[in-house]
Amino acid sequence: MDTKGILDIIQHNGENQAGLIAILEEIQAEYSYLPEEALRLVAKETGRSLADVYGVATFYKAFSLKPKGRHCISVCLGTACHVRGAQKIVEEFSQELGIKPGETTSDNEVTLETVNCLGACALGPTVVADGHYFPHVSRNKVSDIVDAARNGLETLDGKTDGRVFPLQVSCPVCRQSLMDPDHHIDGHPSVTLDASFNGRKDRVHLSSLYGSRAPASGNGVPHNSVTRLHCPHCQSEIPSFSDCLECGSPMAALYIREGCTWEVCTRRGCQGHMLNLNQIDLLKNDEGK
Amino acid sequence: MINLTINGLAVSVEKGSTVLEAAQFLGFPIPTLCHHEGLTPYGACRLCVVEIGEGPGARLVSSCTYPVEEGLKVRTASERVVRARKMIIELLLASCPQSKVIQDLASAHGVRTQRFRQEYEDCILCGLCVRMCSEQMMAGAIGFRGRGTERSIGTPFDVQSDVCRFCGGCMHICPACQLRCTYNQPEKAICNACANLAPPCIEKEQYGDMMCYMNPCVACEIK
C-alpha cells in the first residue's frame, strides 16, 4: 500500500469531520476498495477513532472493504426490476460467474453486486457493467454481458462515436512517425514515446484516439509523476508550449501537420489532451532556437 | 429562561435544556432507556416519547433530543403517549426478553402480553456503550458498524481493539446484557430471570459468546 499517496489524499481534503467521506471516496477510487491499513491511517491522521472511520466505511454501500475485480457488474434489484425478474438475472450471473453477489471471481476479474435502484426503472431489469447500462436484460443475455465485461467495455469505437477519432502523429523534430502498428490500443495503432523519469527510461504507448480515456501503458513510470517525453527515433525531447488544463503540468506537443499539434499531458495518469490548430510552425521555431 | 407548558402546568426552564431534562427537573416521570446523564442524547430507544403541540398538529417526539421552545405544549402521559410507549416496550421486550432492565420497564408500564416473536438479541443498538466508550472513557474502541438489519456494535474489523483498556464501562452501562456480567457467579445474578428463560445464559459453552459484544468476553477475562 502506498502510504504517501494516502497521506496526500488526507492532506488535500483538509482535516475536518466533513472531509471523511471525501477521503474514503478518493482512497476507494485509487485502490478499488478500502484497505485496512488505509482506514487505520485515516483514523490516525484525522484524529478520529478507528471505530468512527470503520462505522462510516461500513455504513455506505459505495464503500467496499474487500478488493474488487477489474470489472464490476451491478444487477438492479429495485422494485421495478425485481417484479420483472431481476432475481432470476442475479441467479444466472451467479451461475455464469460461479460467485455469489458481493463476491469477486478467483481471477480478480469480475465483481458481481446487486444494487437497490439505478434510477432506470423503465429499462428494467437493468444491469450495469463498468458504467455501461444494459436495458431489458433477459437470462440469455447474461453470458454476453459477462463476455463483454471481461473483454473490456472501456474500449472506444471511433466508427460509431463522432466525438472520438484516430490521429496520426509524428515527432515534431525529426518528423518520423510515432505510430506503432504492432501495439494497438482502443483498436488502433498506438503512439509510442520514450518517457524518462529520474534518470530511468521507459517505452510508453498512448491511445491514438482523440477523446480516449484509455490509460497509457508502460509500468516503469510511477503514477502522478510528470515525465519528460522523447522521440524514440531521434531521442530529442518533445517540446511543450502549454500547460495541461486539467492539472497544470506541461503538455507535450505531438506533430500532426503544419500548424497543427496534438498536445498530451506529461503527468502519468492525467487524461488531459487537446488539439491545437493554431500552433506556430514547430520546425521554424526549432530552427530559431 | 424559556416558558412552556408541561401537562398543563406553566413552567419556565433554562434555555438549551431538553424537554426530558425539564420534565424530570419538575418531577414529571418519563421513562428512559438509552438516555444517561453524562452522555450526549442519542434518541435511539424512543421510550422517552412525549406529545407536543395541540389538536391535529400534535406529534410524538423523543423528549431526550428535543430542546425546549417558547410556548411549547408538552404532554408526558397522554393516552397517545402511553399507547406508543407500551408498544415500544413490547417491541424491545421481543428483541431482548432476557434483559432485566426491559423486563422491569414492561412490568412498570403494565405490558403483560407479548405478541411478537422473541428474538433473544444480545443488543438493542441503544448506543450507550459506544457513547460511554468514546465520551467517558475517551477510548473509542467500539462503534456502530453496517446499517439496516446488518447494523451491529463492535470493534473495527472484529479484532481486539488496541485502544480498549478493558475498563468494562460498556458492560456496566449496557441495559441488554447486564446479566452477562454476573455469569461467573450465577448466585449473584440480579434476579436469576435468565435461568427461567430459554436459552439460559448460564450454559456458557452451549451458547458461546451469544451475550457478549467483545471477543474475548471481558467477563470471562476478569473472572
Side-chain angles (χ1 to χ4, degrees):
Chain A
M1 200 191 68
D2 174 20
T3 309
K4 198 181 165 296
I6 289 170
L7 284 176
D8 284 347
I9 291 173
I10 296 167
Q11 234 129 54
H12 81 85
N13 271 296
E15 292 183 4
N16 53 351
Q17 180 81 29
L20 179 57
I21 290 173
I23 291 170
L24 296 182
E25 270 181 337
E26 276 195 45
I27 294 172
Q28 165 116 354
E30 186 83 24
Y31 295 92
S32 86
Y33 77 111
L34 298 173
E36 181 175 337
E37 305 88 80
L39 291 187
R40 289 185 186 279
L41 197 62
V42 169
K44 192 168 147 238
E45 289 299 313
T46 57
R48 291 189 197 88
S49 68
L50 180 63
D52 274 359
V53 177
Y54 187 79
V56 172
T58 53
F59 184 86
Y60 293 101
K61 250 196 152 170
F63 296 130
S64 167
L65 295 177
K66 283 186 286 184
K68 285 196 175 172
R70 279 179 51 199
H71 306 292
C72 180
I73 297 178
S74 315
V75 185
C76 181
L77 277 183
T79 313
C81 292
H82 191 91
V83 296
R84 290 177 185 165
Q87 195 58 50
K88 289 262 164 39
I89 306 290
V90 175
E91 283 161 21
E92 191 72 21
F93 270 112
S94 287
Q95 208 170 4
E96 181 80 25
L97 295 163
I99 50 171
K100 288 197 201 74
E103 293 179 349
T104 305
T105 51
S106 51
D107 56 0
N108 271 339
E109 279 289 314
V110 185
T111 299
L112 176 64
E113 55 184 33
T114 60
V115 290
N116 287 336
C117 187
L118 290 162
C121 303
L123 305 177
T126 317
V127 172
V128 173
D130 291 342
H132 293 250
Y133 279 67
F134 292 88
H136 307 300
V137 176
S138 56
R139 290 176 77 158
N140 48 19
K141 281 191 196 164
V142 164
S143 60
D144 293 345
I145 295 173
V146 172
D147 289 345
R150 278 189 190 272
N151 293 332
L153 287 155
E154 304 284 272
T155 50
L156 287 161
D157 189 0
K159 290 189 191 83
T160 54
D161 193 340
R163 296 164 302 169
V164 179
F165 45 88
L167 294 167
Q168 297 272 345
V169 294
S170 51
C171 169
V173 182
C174 68
R175 295 291 167 85
Q176 290 199 60
S177 173
L178 295 172
M179 307 309 290
D180 185 351
D182 300 328
H183 191 111
H184 283 238
I185 298 179
D186 290 336
H188 289 272
S190 61
V191 178
T192 177
L193 290 164
D194 277 344
S196 67
F197 174 77
N198 274 358
R200 271 187 320 189
K201 230 170 205 192
D202 189 37
R203 182 62 59 91
V204 292
H205 293 274
L206 312 171
S207 171
S208 63
L209 279 190
Y210 181 81
S212 166
R213 309 291 288 183
S217 68
N219 295 324
V221 185
H223 199 70
N224 271 344
S225 58
V226 175
T227 55
R228 295 156 75 95
L229 297 173
H230 299 268
C231 167
H233 306 293
C234 66
Q235 294 303 326
S236 24
E237 187 174 351
I238 311 290
S240 172
F241 298 101
S242 48
D243 290 336
C244 176
L245 295 172
E246 293 188 21
C247 70
S249 310
M251 294 180 98
L254 304 171
Y255 183 82
I256 299 172
R257 57 179 159 78
E258 278 312 295
C260 176
T261 57
W262 183 31
E263 302 195 12
V264 293
C265 183
T266 54
R267 189 173 67 87
R268 180 150 169 82
C270 178
Q271 315 274 355
H273 61 171
M274 62 175 186
L275 272 182
N276 195 338
L277 303 174
N278 301 316
Q279 192 65 59
I280 40 163
D281 190 336
L282 292 170
L283 193 65
K284 269 187 198 162
N285 191 33
D286 275 351
E287 280 168 352
K289 276 181 185 170
Chain B
M1 297 296 267
I2 305 280
N3 299 304
L4 67 160
T5 319
I6 301 181
N7 293 348
L9 186 75
V11 296
S12 69
V13 294
E14 200 100 355
K15 195 183 173 197
S17 57
T18 63
V19 171
L20 178 69
E21 282 161 356
Q24 287 188 337
F25 177 72
L26 293 158
F28 295 111
I30 296 178
T32 57
L33 184 58
C34 75
H35 177 265
H36 199 276
E37 271 181 46
L39 299 177
T40 51
Y42 186 64
C45 71
R46 319 308 287 180
L47 202 60
C48 62
V49 67
V50 293
E51 194 175 11
I52 58 165
E54 280 178 309
R59 59 196 180 101
L60 297 175
V61 296
S62 62
S63 60
C64 69
T65 53
Y66 202 92
V68 288
E69 288 166 5
E70 189 67 39
L72 194 68
K73 288 194 167 53
V74 182
R75 267 147 300 151
T76 65
S78 66
E79 197 188 324
R80 189 179 170 195
V81 167
V82 170
R83 204 169 56 234
R85 205 171 273 160
K86 279 176 102 166
M87 175 57 101
I88 290 162
I89 292 171
E90 201 174 331
L91 287 164
L92 284 169
L93 195 62
S95 67
C96 203
Q98 72 273 31
S99 160
K100 176 74 167 60
V101 174
I102 297 172
Q103 287 170 9
D104 285 351
L105 279 168
S107 165
H109 289 84
V111 176
R112 299 271 179 265
T113 53
Q114 177 57 276
R115 290 171 289 172
F116 308 109
R117 192 160 60 91
Q118 302 194 335
E119 300 280 0
Y120 298 100
E121 299 284 345
D122 50 5
C123 181
I124 54 167
L125 297 172
C126 67
L128 273 172
C129 54
V130 174
R131 284 175 283 155
M132 183 75 167
C133 191
S134 65
E135 291 169 21
Q136 289 294 337
M137 298 307 167
M138 313 309 260
I142 51 173
F144 283 103
R145 309 166 309 174
R147 70 166 161 183
T149 53
E150 306 288 308
R151 196 153 171 85
S152 65
I153 289 175
T155 55
F157 303 104
D158 268 325
V159 293
Q160 177 76 58
S161 170
D162 40 12
V163 289
C164 176
R165 301 189 296 270
F166 288 103
C167 68
C170 47
M171 289 195 313
H172 167 76
I173 204 161
C174 177
C177 70
Q178 54 176 236
L179 282 173
R180 178 189 65 185
C181 317
T182 54
Y183 151 68
N184 283 300
Q185 300 94 30
E187 67 278 7
K188 284 191 197 162
I190 297 162
C191 68
N192 276 327
C194 62
N196 302 321
L197 285 164
C201 62
I202 298 170
E203 296 292 327
K204 177 72 177 171
E205 285 74 25
Q206 196 175 347
Y207 294 100
D209 57 358
M210 186 193 91
M211 301 291 288
C212 193
Y213 295 155
M214 301 171 92
N215 200 6
C217 172
V218 183
C220 310
E221 292 278 297
I222 295 166
K223 285 222 162 115

